[in-house]
Amino acid sequence: MKKTWIAFISVVVLSFITLIWIGTEVYQTQPPIPDQVIVKETNAVLYTKADIQTGQNVWESIGGMEVGSIWGHGSYVAPDWTADWIHREAVYMLNTWAQADFNKSYDNLGVEQKAAIKARLIKDIRTNTFNETDKSITISKARLEAVQENIKHYTSIFSEGKAEYAIPKGALTNPEKLEQLNAFLFWTSWAASTNRPEKDYTYTSNWPHEPLIDNNITDDSVIWSGLSIVLLLLFIGILTYYYLLNHEKGELIDKPETDPLTGLKLFKSQKTILKYFIVISLLIALQVILGAATVHYTVEGQAFFGFELSQYLPYSITRTWHTQLAVFWIAATWLATGLFLAPMISGKEMKYQRFGVNFLFFALLIIVLGSMAGEWLGVHQFLDLTTNFFFGHQGYEYMDLGRFWQIFLGIGLILWVIMVSRHIIYAIRKNDPSKHLLIILLISVMAIGMFFFSGLMYGENSSLPVINYWRWWLVHLWVEGFFEVFATVVIAYIFSQMKIISAKTAGRVSVASASIFLAGGIIGTLHHLYYSGTPVQAIALGATFSALEVVPLTLMGFEIRESWSHLKSTPWMQKYKWPIFFFIAVSFWNFVGAGVFGFLINPPIALYYIQGLNTTAVHAHTALFGVYGMLGMGFILICLRFYSDRVWQSKKLKRAFWFLNIGLVAMVVFSLLPIGVIQAYTSITQGYSFARDSDLLYAEPIQTLKWMRIIGDIIFSVGIFYFCWFTIEETIYNFKRKQVNK
């Protein structure tokens, strides 16, 4: 074990040194926010730094990434504002010059005439005019006219609304805020269309793809994409060889003929945890309902089957709540599982454990309801910008809740860490064969508490590259990193308690698995940041190490086989059939959703063209629900199975399992993936702005595919109904019965 631990520690330390180094580069090389934007010919000031920074706060307050996207990050109905701004600006300038020089529109010019005007545009747009001395940017009068035309366009969209973008009338009416919002949109487009000093690519590495200004994929993106694929194949081979060589070398144990957990000692705090499962089931149901409303906005724009829903719940709110509730209920499930298992691990219930469980339960309710109310108030502009930052809508996907609610949740996590860790530490001190398994579990628990606070590392006026850097520490490292290690260890612990595998083997495998996963996962965080105003090192390291994230997922077939063999090994294991079935589904979706569909958008050459298209939604649904959602459901079922004293009637669970999985497949195959493929082709052949344009998204073939999603959605919703029905019914039964062991 010593070598295994050395490998684990080395991976974690070296990976974080690298990730933090990239962070310092992000701070030092990010696109500058100028003190002033000046018109070259007149010296008139167009925007100030305060305008741009306040404009970012305005953008956040209306929903931010839940209303279109910036630099590819955000929702899919409205355009990517950066790409759209650049394209409109370029078209306006080209047509203006074409009319002035040739009395024709740009499209009607000859090849040589087009080339001359396009060269003029590229020089005007891509030349970096940032002055280090006075911190100003200068733009030409011709560009000013294009900017002013864009201002009119976007002011109309946000004040008058646009159904195709699911933006309701009156989303933003304050003239000053509208002006500041446009200042921010201008800056994001300036950074994405202006070359870095002494470089031939922009601050966003030439993203988005826009042929009119020669924003084409960089050599670095192509080179590192190729290398990432080579490394992927190499390490798949190495890991597969290692697995086949060592997977049978675990400690042999005699599998028991009866369930070792029969007569399991249960504690008062575990019964207290049961109410979490009722609330979680209600949150799951609400999330699905909001998801149906959100996806329907892509068809009708402002209505839900004719009802003007946007007057009360605009798209920005339904999508915010839909994505946020997913994180809330999945995280709550895992946290409840930790609290449930803690007394089992130690064999005793620590002082005030029951009080802590109740406190966290009510804190969860306050955070969920309070943050949702704050987001609604923020989007409807009832809060000033600073109040919105703390209590309203922060504007960043999966981190929408206000800073106050983040801090509140962080305090709750600290309490959770204490409540779970003290039981684990007590068990570690017994120095039995499960010691190493419990140590890695303790590390994962402490990391879950600690890394949540990465979401507090930026402030109200931090720049977009800095916010995105820390945001992905939370979304990727916290959720996809240490929560996944926690889940892996919990499952290993459960199997060791069932005497399916030895505790010693479970510990060794868990530490090794964590090392392999984190070797790619920590630095792999950077694959979210290729084109977010970050330096080229993010592309190099992100592409290389994020490819390694896929490597362990290729062995999911072996995991499915192992889980299935456990289920078939002894008759009493049938008692745990449905929790294990959900764990098998996790393995399947880990390979398909996180592995196949994750790698689909992982290499820089792929993400350059398809970031923020429906291909992202494919990965999001199959990985977030398929992996983490199914895992959360499996945890609920295993906890209920440990607690329940009756034989389960499996009809509801059988229907839930198959409807959920078939519905998720249908959702992807019939709708999301075909739309994503069409968008990807458009992005590659015409430019990114065309792939996000309403002309494409409301074209008849796309609309037909959108309606076809209802097939998968209905099947999936039926599965949710049966799961929630079973969970609530079983939980109520266990509440009513007397607890045997005190």
Side-chain angles (χ1 to χ4, degrees):
M1 281 298 296
K2 184 177 180 180
K3 291 181 179 179
T4 307
W5 277 112
I6 290 173
F8 173 80
I9 294 168
S10 299
V11 163
V12 172
V13 171
L14 293 175
S15 295
F16 274 110
I17 288 173
T18 304
L19 189 60
I20 292 169
W21 169 63
I22 292 295
T24 63
E25 291 293 305
V26 170
Y27 276 87
Q28 294 171 8
T29 65
Q30 62 183 299
I33 300 177
D35 289 344
Q36 293 181 324
V37 178
I38 300 171
V39 181
K40 183 178 181 181
E41 290 84 351
T42 64
N43 286 327
V45 176
L46 176 62
Y47 293 126
T48 65
K49 184 174 185 177
D51 291 331
I52 295 169
Q53 289 182 324
T54 305
Q56 180 175 325
N57 298 146
V58 172
W59 169 74
E60 293 163 354
S61 76
I62 63 173
M65 289 181 178
E66 308 297 354
V67 187
S69 59
I70 296 287
W71 295 347
H73 295 280
S75 62
Y76 318 121
V77 178
D80 181 90
W81 304 116
T82 305
D84 193 60
W85 182 292
I86 291 172
H87 184 73
R88 289 179 179 277
E89 193 177 83
V91 168
Y92 183 89
M93 294 173 72
L94 289 171
N95 281 325
T96 299
W97 288 334
Q99 287 289 347
D101 294 352
F102 304 104
N103 199 30
K104 294 180 181 179
S105 67
Y106 176 75
D107 288 339
N108 292 325
L109 297 180
V111 174
E112 292 182 359
Q113 293 169 328
K114 280 186 175 180
I117 293 182
K118 182 180 175 182
R120 182 179 172 186
L121 173 72
I122 291 170
K123 182 178 180 181
D124 191 306
I125 295 288
R126 295 187 66 114
T127 300
N128 194 329
T129 60
F130 180 72
N131 188 321
E132 286 285 355
T133 304
D134 63 6
K135 308 297 181 185
S136 68
I137 290 172
T138 57
I139 64 171
S140 67
K141 187 177 179 181
R143 190 172 188 181
L144 171 64
E145 293 176 2
V147 169
Q148 290 172 333
E149 193 65 25
N150 276 0
I151 290 172
K152 293 178 185 177
H153 174 73
Y154 292 113
T155 298
S156 173
I157 286 175
F158 289 104
S159 60
E160 298 300 322
K162 186 163 183 176
E164 292 85 353
Y165 296 170
I167 297 177
K169 184 176 182 179
L172 189 65
T173 56
N174 184 295
E176 184 180 6
K177 286 185 176 181
L178 284 165
E179 183 179 345
Q180 291 162 338
L181 173 61
N182 278 292
F184 172 65
L185 297 181
F186 163 80
W187 177 80
T188 67
S189 68
W190 176 85
S193 59
T194 299
N195 285 346
R196 284 182 177 270
E198 300 179 5
K199 302 292 183 182
D200 62 353
Y201 53 84
T202 70
Y203 286 101
T204 56
S205 292
N206 283 1
W207 194 94
H209 178 219
E210 178 49 73
L212 292 179
I213 62 168
D214 276 2
N215 251 16
N216 297 309
I217 192 164
T218 62
D219 294 340
D220 290 303
S221 293
V222 175
I223 291 169
W224 290 107
S225 295
L227 182 60
S228 72
I229 294 170
V230 171
L231 289 175
L232 172 66
L233 297 174
L234 173 64
F235 280 95
I236 285 176
I238 292 173
L239 185 62
T240 302
Y241 175 75
Y242 174 82
Y243 181 88
L244 294 174
L245 193 66
N246 292 279
H247 83 286
E248 298 290 351
K249 293 185 177 180
E251 184 180 356
L252 294 176
I253 61 172
D254 293 326
K255 293 179 181 178
E257 294 298 322
T258 59
D259 185 358
L261 298 178
T262 299
L264 179 70
K265 185 179 182 181
L266 297 172
F267 300 91
K268 291 181 179 180
S269 66
Q270 290 174 300
K271 185 171 185 177
T272 305
I273 289 164
L274 292 177
K275 61 177 170 283
Y276 279 75
F277 301 146
I278 293 178
V279 171
I280 288 168
S281 297
L282 296 176
L283 293 180
I284 294 171
L286 179 59
Q287 191 223 347
V288 171
I289 292 169
L290 289 166
T294 301
V295 75
H296 196 77
Y297 272 123
T298 69
V299 178
E300 287 193 68
Q302 302 287 18
F304 188 78
F305 292 102
F307 176 70
E308 290 294 324
L309 183 64
S310 62
Q311 294 182 19
Y312 311 98
L313 293 176
Y315 172 86
S316 58
I317 285 295
T318 62
R319 190 177 192 273
T320 295
W321 290 352
H322 175 65
T323 55
Q324 183 173 283
L325 284 175
V327 175
F328 274 148
W329 79 256
I330 292 171
T333 300
W334 296 17
L335 298 178
T337 300
L339 292 171
F340 188 92
L341 294 178
M344 287 176 55
I345 292 170
S346 63
K348 64 178 292 186
E349 186 173 80
M350 300 290 184
K351 197 173 182 181
Y352 301 120
Q353 184 77 2
R354 192 178 181 188
F355 170 81
V357 169
N358 283 323
F359 177 84
L360 287 177
F361 176 77
F362 290 110
L364 173 66
L365 290 179
I366 293 170
I367 291 168
V368 171
L369 297 176
S371 63
M372 290 174 70
E375 286 152 356
W376 190 91
L377 291 170
V379 166
H380 285 86
Q381 301 299 297
F382 289 115
L383 308 176
D384 64 61
L385 295 179
T386 297
T387 304
N388 176 73
F389 175 77
F390 282 97
F391 295 96
H393 201 304
Q394 278 199 59
Y396 297 97
E397 203 172 27
Y398 300 109
M399 285 177 51
D400 302 285
L401 71 168
R403 178 56 55 87
F404 170 81
W405 306 111
Q406 274 187 299
I407 294 171
F408 194 172
L409 183 54
I411 293 171
L413 281 172
I414 291 173
L415 177 59
W416 177 81
V417 169
I418 293 171
M419 292 171 63
V420 177
S421 295
R422 60 182 181 165
H423 288 85
I424 299 174
I425 292 171
Y426 181 88
I428 290 173
R429 288 174 176 168
K430 296 178 182 178
N431 204 27
D432 60 23
S434 65
K435 177 180 179 180
H436 293 286
L437 179 62
L438 294 175
I439 290 174
I440 191 66
L441 178 60
L442 178 64
I443 291 171
S444 67
V445 166
M446 296 181 71
I448 287 170
M450 180 172 63
F451 279 90
F452 177 80
F453 287 90
S454 60
L456 306 180
M457 295 298 290
Y458 65 87
E460 183 181 358
N461 293 312
S462 294
S463 67
L464 204 56
V466 168
I467 292 173
N468 270 325
Y469 173 74
W470 290 113
R471 182 171 77 93
W472 287 111
W473 270 61
L474 180 61
V475 178
H476 183 91
L477 277 178
W478 187 62
V479 177
E480 298 181 40
F482 292 103
F483 257 122
E484 186 143 337
V485 173
F486 170 79
T488 301
V489 179
V490 165
I491 292 174
Y493 174 79
I494 290 170
F495 281 159
S496 71
Q497 293 301 295
M498 292 178 180
K499 309 300 182 184
I500 299 298
I501 56 175
S502 73
K504 184 177 180 181
T505 299
R508 177 178 59 81
V509 171
S510 294
V511 177
S513 297
S515 303
I516 293 169
F517 178 77
L518 295 177
I522 295 174
I523 301 177
T525 304
L526 297 172
H527 82 260
H528 299 284
L529 301 172
Y530 295 150
Y531 307 115
S532 296
T534 44
V536 72
Q537 294 96 313
I539 295 177
L541 291 169
T544 303
F545 283 87
S546 65
L548 302 185
E549 288 183 82
V550 184
V551 171
L553 302 182
T554 61
L555 300 181
M556 285 299 117
F558 293 109
E559 295 298 323
I560 292 173
R561 189 197 69 181
E562 291 293 329
S563 297
W564 185 259
S565 65
H566 292 331
L567 185 61
K568 297 294 183 180
S569 60
T570 53
W572 62 264
M573 278 295 291
Q574 291 300 309
K575 177 181 177 181
Y576 301 98
K577 174 181 177 178
W578 290 109
I580 291 176
F581 260 48
F582 274 85
F583 294 152
I584 289 173
V586 169
S587 297
F588 171 80
W589 288 112
N590 228 337
F591 173 69
V592 175
V596 176
F597 292 137
F599 194 73
L600 174 68
I601 62 173
N602 213 3
I605 196 171
L607 199 67
Y608 180 81
Y609 293 107
I610 64 178
Q611 179 172 232
L613 306 183
N614 273 266
T615 44
T616 304
V618 169
H619 171 58
H621 284 79
T622 54
L624 184 58
F625 183 85
V627 178
Y628 301 109
M630 289 286 187
L631 188 56
M633 289 177 165
F635 280 153
I636 289 176
L637 294 179
I638 200 71
C639 291
L640 286 174
R641 184 64 278 173
F642 287 155
Y643 198 91
S644 182
D645 65 344
R646 65 177 178 176
V647 176
W648 283 355
Q649 299 299 317
S650 63
K651 185 181 293 185
K652 293 187 188 74
L653 283 178
K654 181 178 181 179
R655 290 174 180 173
F657 179 82
W658 290 113
F659 276 119
L660 285 172
N661 283 282
I662 293 171
L664 192 54
V665 169
M667 193 187 304
V668 170
V669 172
F670 293 152
S671 182
L672 290 175
L673 187 57
I675 294 173
V677 170
I678 293 171
Q679 285 184 294
Y681 178 81
T682 305
S683 175
I684 294 167
T685 57
Q686 298 181 52
Y688 186 81
S689 63
F690 290 95
R692 293 286 299 272
D693 192 82
S694 58
D695 287 345
L696 175 68
L697 294 178
Y698 281 84
E700 188 173 341
I702 299 291
Q703 285 294 84
T704 301
L705 289 170
K706 288 178 183 177
W707 278 109
M708 286 182 67
R709 177 169 168 175
I710 201 170
I711 299 171
D713 286 357
I714 290 174
I715 297 171
F716 183 84
S717 298
V718 172
I720 291 291
F721 169 75
Y722 275 111
F723 179 84
C724 293
W725 183 7
F726 174 85
T727 301
I728 293 173
E729 184 179 62
E730 185 66 22
T731 302
I732 291 174
Y733 164 78
N734 284 293
F735 263 128
K736 289 180 177 179
R737 75 180 181 89
K738 283 189 175 182
Q739 192 174 359
V740 179
N741 299 301
K742 301 291 185 182

PDB file of all heavy atoms in Angstrom, residues 398-413:
ATOM      1  N   TYR A 398     -24.659  26.548 -13.179  1.00  0.00           N
ATOM      2  CA  TYR A 398     -24.411  25.662 -12.048  1.00  0.00           C
ATOM      3  C   TYR A 398     -23.907  26.402 -10.806  1.00  0.00           C
ATOM      4  O   TYR A 398     -23.686  25.801  -9.770  1.00  0.00           O
ATOM      5  CB  TYR A 398     -23.434  24.532 -12.402  1.00  0.00           C
ATOM      6  CG  TYR A 398     -23.929  23.659 -13.518  1.00  0.00           C
ATOM      7  CD1 TYR A 398     -23.340  23.702 -14.784  1.00  0.00           C
ATOM      8  CD2 TYR A 398     -25.010  22.808 -13.339  1.00  0.00           C
ATOM      9  CE1 TYR A 398     -23.809  22.913 -15.827  1.00  0.00           C
ATOM     10  CE2 TYR A 398     -25.491  22.014 -14.377  1.00  0.00           C
ATOM     11  CZ  TYR A 398     -24.882  22.075 -15.615  1.00  0.00           C
ATOM     12  OH  TYR A 398     -25.350  21.296 -16.638  1.00  0.00           O
ATOM     13  N   MET A 399     -23.693  27.720 -10.919  1.00  0.00           N
ATOM     14  CA  MET A 399     -23.319  28.551  -9.766  1.00  0.00           C
ATOM     15  C   MET A 399     -24.194  29.797  -9.760  1.00  0.00           C
ATOM     16  O   MET A 399     -23.726  30.902  -9.513  1.00  0.00           O
ATOM     17  CB  MET A 399     -21.840  28.943  -9.842  1.00  0.00           C
ATOM     18  CG  MET A 399     -20.885  27.842  -9.489  1.00  0.00           C
ATOM     19  SD  MET A 399     -19.162  28.329  -9.676  1.00  0.00           S
ATOM     20  CE  MET A 399     -19.111  29.847  -8.751  1.00  0.00           C
ATOM     21  N   ASP A 400     -25.464  29.606 -10.030  1.00  0.00           N
ATOM     22  CA  ASP A 400     -26.369  30.742 -10.182  1.00  0.00           C
ATOM     23  C   ASP A 400     -26.743  31.388  -8.853  1.00  0.00           C
ATOM     24  O   ASP A 400     -27.021  32.581  -8.798  1.00  0.00           O
ATOM     25  CB  ASP A 400     -27.651  30.288 -10.889  1.00  0.00           C
ATOM     26  CG  ASP A 400     -27.377  29.671 -12.244  1.00  0.00           C
ATOM     27  OD1 ASP A 400     -27.087  30.420 -13.179  1.00  0.00           O
ATOM     28  OD2 ASP A 400     -27.454  28.437 -12.371  1.00  0.00           O
ATOM     29  N   LEU A 401     -26.789  30.598  -7.783  1.00  0.00           N
ATOM     30  CA  LEU A 401     -27.265  31.115  -6.510  1.00  0.00           C
ATOM     31  C   LEU A 401     -26.373  32.226  -5.983  1.00  0.00           C
ATOM     32  O   LEU A 401     -25.157  32.230  -6.191  1.00  0.00           O
ATOM     33  CB  LEU A 401     -27.386  30.003  -5.477  1.00  0.00           C
ATOM     34  CG  LEU A 401     -26.153  29.348  -4.892  1.00  0.00           C
ATOM     35  CD1 LEU A 401     -26.547  28.503  -3.687  1.00  0.00           C
ATOM     36  CD2 LEU A 401     -25.412  28.485  -5.892  1.00  0.00           C
ATOM     37  N   GLY A 402     -26.982  33.202  -5.302  1.00  0.00           N
ATOM     38  CA  GLY A 402     -26.245  34.353  -4.791  1.00  0.00           C
ATOM     39  C   GLY A 402     -25.163  33.970  -3.797  1.00  0.00           C
ATOM     40  O   GLY A 402     -25.192  32.900  -3.191  1.00  0.00           O
ATOM     41  N   ARG A 403     -24.207  34.890  -3.604  1.00  0.00           N
ATOM     42  CA  ARG A 403     -23.043  34.611  -2.755  1.00  0.00           C
ATOM     43  C   ARG A 403     -23.450  34.279  -1.315  1.00  0.00           C
ATOM     44  O   ARG A 403     -22.833  33.413  -0.681  1.00  0.00           O
ATOM     45  CB  ARG A 403     -22.101  35.817  -2.799  1.00  0.00           C
ATOM     46  CG  ARG A 403     -20.857  35.711  -1.933  1.00  0.00           C
ATOM     47  CD  ARG A 403     -20.014  34.477  -2.236  1.00  0.00           C
ATOM     48  NE  ARG A 403     -19.622  34.341  -3.608  1.00  0.00           N
ATOM     49  CZ  ARG A 403     -18.511  34.897  -4.145  1.00  0.00           C
ATOM     50  NH1 ARG A 403     -17.722  35.645  -3.394  1.00  0.00           N
ATOM     51  NH2 ARG A 403     -18.217  34.684  -5.414  1.00  0.00           N
ATOM     52  N   PHE A 404     -24.471  34.954  -0.770  1.00  0.00           N
ATOM     53  CA  PHE A 404     -24.924  34.647   0.587  1.00  0.00           C
ATOM     54  C   PHE A 404     -25.321  33.187   0.707  1.00  0.00           C
ATOM     55  O   PHE A 404     -24.963  32.509   1.672  1.00  0.00           O
ATOM     56  CB  PHE A 404     -26.109  35.541   0.967  1.00  0.00           C
ATOM     57  CG  PHE A 404     -26.781  35.123   2.257  1.00  0.00           C
ATOM     58  CD1 PHE A 404     -26.247  35.485   3.480  1.00  0.00           C
ATOM     59  CD2 PHE A 404     -27.943  34.350   2.235  1.00  0.00           C
ATOM     60  CE1 PHE A 404     -26.862  35.084   4.673  1.00  0.00           C
ATOM     61  CE2 PHE A 404     -28.559  33.955   3.415  1.00  0.00           C
ATOM     62  CZ  PHE A 404     -28.019  34.319   4.637  1.00  0.00           C
ATOM     63  N   TRP A 405     -26.078  32.683  -0.294  1.00  0.00           N
ATOM     64  CA  TRP A 405     -26.529  31.296  -0.248  1.00  0.00           C
ATOM     65  C   TRP A 405     -25.355  30.339  -0.425  1.00  0.00           C
ATOM     66  O   TRP A 405     -25.349  29.247   0.159  1.00  0.00           O
ATOM     67  CB  TRP A 405     -27.584  31.054  -1.330  1.00  0.00           C
ATOM     68  CG  TRP A 405     -28.719  32.022  -1.251  1.00  0.00           C
ATOM     69  CD1 TRP A 405     -29.020  33.017  -2.129  1.00  0.00           C
ATOM     70  CD2 TRP A 405     -29.690  32.120  -0.202  1.00  0.00           C
ATOM     71  NE1 TRP A 405     -30.120  33.723  -1.707  1.00  0.00           N
ATOM     72  CE2 TRP A 405     -30.559  33.190  -0.526  1.00  0.00           C
ATOM     73  CE3 TRP A 405     -29.922  31.398   0.964  1.00  0.00           C
ATOM     74  CZ2 TRP A 405     -31.627  33.559   0.278  1.00  0.00           C
ATOM     75  CZ3 TRP A 405     -30.988  31.762   1.776  1.00  0.00           C
ATOM     76  CH2 TRP A 405     -31.825  32.830   1.430  1.00  0.00           C
ATOM     77  N   GLN A 406     -24.358  30.750  -1.203  1.00  0.00           N
ATOM     78  CA  GLN A 406     -23.137  29.942  -1.333  1.00  0.00           C
ATOM     79  C   GLN A 406     -22.441  29.802   0.012  1.00  0.00           C
ATOM     80  O   GLN A 406     -22.009  28.704   0.393  1.00  0.00           O
ATOM     81  CB  GLN A 406     -22.169  30.592  -2.332  1.00  0.00           C
ATOM     82  CG  GLN A 406     -22.392  30.235  -3.783  1.00  0.00           C
ATOM     83  CD  GLN A 406     -21.282  30.789  -4.647  1.00  0.00           C
ATOM     84  OE1 GLN A 406     -21.082  32.004  -4.711  1.00  0.00           O
ATOM     85  NE2 GLN A 406     -20.558  29.926  -5.306  1.00  0.00           N
ATOM     86  N   ILE A 407     -22.297  30.927   0.714  1.00  0.00           N
ATOM     87  CA  ILE A 407     -21.621  30.905   2.018  1.00  0.00           C
ATOM     88  C   ILE A 407     -22.411  30.050   3.010  1.00  0.00           C
ATOM     89  O   ILE A 407     -21.841  29.250   3.761  1.00  0.00           O
ATOM     90  CB  ILE A 407     -21.442  32.343   2.553  1.00  0.00           C
ATOM     91  CG1 ILE A 407     -20.481  33.123   1.645  1.00  0.00           C
ATOM     92  CG2 ILE A 407     -20.923  32.326   3.988  1.00  0.00           C
ATOM     93  CD1 ILE A 407     -20.407  34.605   1.952  1.00  0.00           C
ATOM     94  N   PHE A 408     -23.713  30.220   3.005  1.00  0.00           N
ATOM     95  CA  PHE A 408     -24.596  29.423   3.872  1.00  0.00           C
ATOM     96  C   PHE A 408     -24.399  27.936   3.593  1.00  0.00           C
ATOM     97  O   PHE A 408     -24.249  27.110   4.511  1.00  0.00           O
ATOM     98  CB  PHE A 408     -26.039  29.849   3.620  1.00  0.00           C
ATOM     99  CG  PHE A 408     -27.032  29.375   4.661  1.00  0.00           C
ATOM    100  CD1 PHE A 408     -28.338  29.840   4.638  1.00  0.00           C
ATOM    101  CD2 PHE A 408     -26.688  28.455   5.650  1.00  0.00           C
ATOM    102  CE1 PHE A 408     -29.276  29.416   5.569  1.00  0.00           C
ATOM    103  CE2 PHE A 408     -27.617  28.026   6.586  1.00  0.00           C
ATOM    104  CZ  PHE A 408     -28.906  28.498   6.549  1.00  0.00           C
ATOM    105  N   LEU A 409     -24.380  27.571   2.310  1.00  0.00           N
ATOM    106  CA  LEU A 409     -24.180  26.175   1.927  1.00  0.00           C
ATOM    107  C   LEU A 409     -22.792  25.696   2.340  1.00  0.00           C
ATOM    108  O   LEU A 409     -22.627  24.551   2.792  1.00  0.00           O
ATOM    109  CB  LEU A 409     -24.368  26.017   0.414  1.00  0.00           C
ATOM    110  CG  LEU A 409     -24.264  24.605  -0.174  1.00  0.00           C
ATOM    111  CD1 LEU A 409     -25.206  23.642   0.531  1.00  0.00           C
ATOM    112  CD2 LEU A 409     -24.567  24.637  -1.666  1.00  0.00           C
ATOM    113  N   GLY A 410     -21.793  26.565   2.213  1.00  0.00           N
ATOM    114  CA  GLY A 410     -20.435  26.214   2.625  1.00  0.00           C
ATOM    115  C   GLY A 410     -20.352  25.910   4.110  1.00  0.00           C
ATOM    116  O   GLY A 410     -19.677  24.960   4.539  1.00  0.00           O
ATOM    117  N   ILE A 411     -21.048  26.710   4.927  1.00  0.00           N
ATOM    118  CA  ILE A 411     -21.080  26.461   6.374  1.00  0.00           C
ATOM    119  C   ILE A 411     -21.734  25.103   6.661  1.00  0.00           C
ATOM    120  O   ILE A 411     -21.268  24.334   7.500  1.00  0.00           O
ATOM    121  CB  ILE A 411     -21.851  27.594   7.088  1.00  0.00           C
ATOM    122  CG1 ILE A 411     -21.061  28.914   6.967  1.00  0.00           C
ATOM    123  CG2 ILE A 411     -22.090  27.251   8.555  1.00  0.00           C
ATOM    124  CD1 ILE A 411     -21.833  30.133   7.435  1.00  0.00           C
ATOM    125  N   GLY A 412     -22.817  24.820   5.927  1.00  0.00           N
ATOM    126  CA  GLY A 412     -23.466  23.517   6.080  1.00  0.00           C
ATOM    127  C   GLY A 412     -22.532  22.370   5.732  1.00  0.00           C
ATOM    128  O   GLY A 412     -22.525  21.334   6.405  1.00  0.00           O
ATOM    129  N   LEU A 413     -21.724  22.561   4.681  1.00  0.00           N
ATOM    130  CA  LEU A 413     -20.778  21.516   4.282  1.00  0.00           C
ATOM    131  C   LEU A 413     -19.698  21.297   5.334  1.00  0.00           C
ATOM    132  O   LEU A 413     -19.256  20.161   5.557  1.00  0.00           O
ATOM    133  CB  LEU A 413     -20.139  21.876   2.939  1.00  0.00           C
ATOM    134  CG  LEU A 413     -21.003  21.602   1.703  1.00  0.00           C
ATOM    135  CD1 LEU A 413     -20.343  22.190   0.458  1.00  0.00           C
ATOM    136  CD2 LEU A 413     -21.219  20.114   1.510  1.00  0.00           C
TER     137      LEU A 413
END
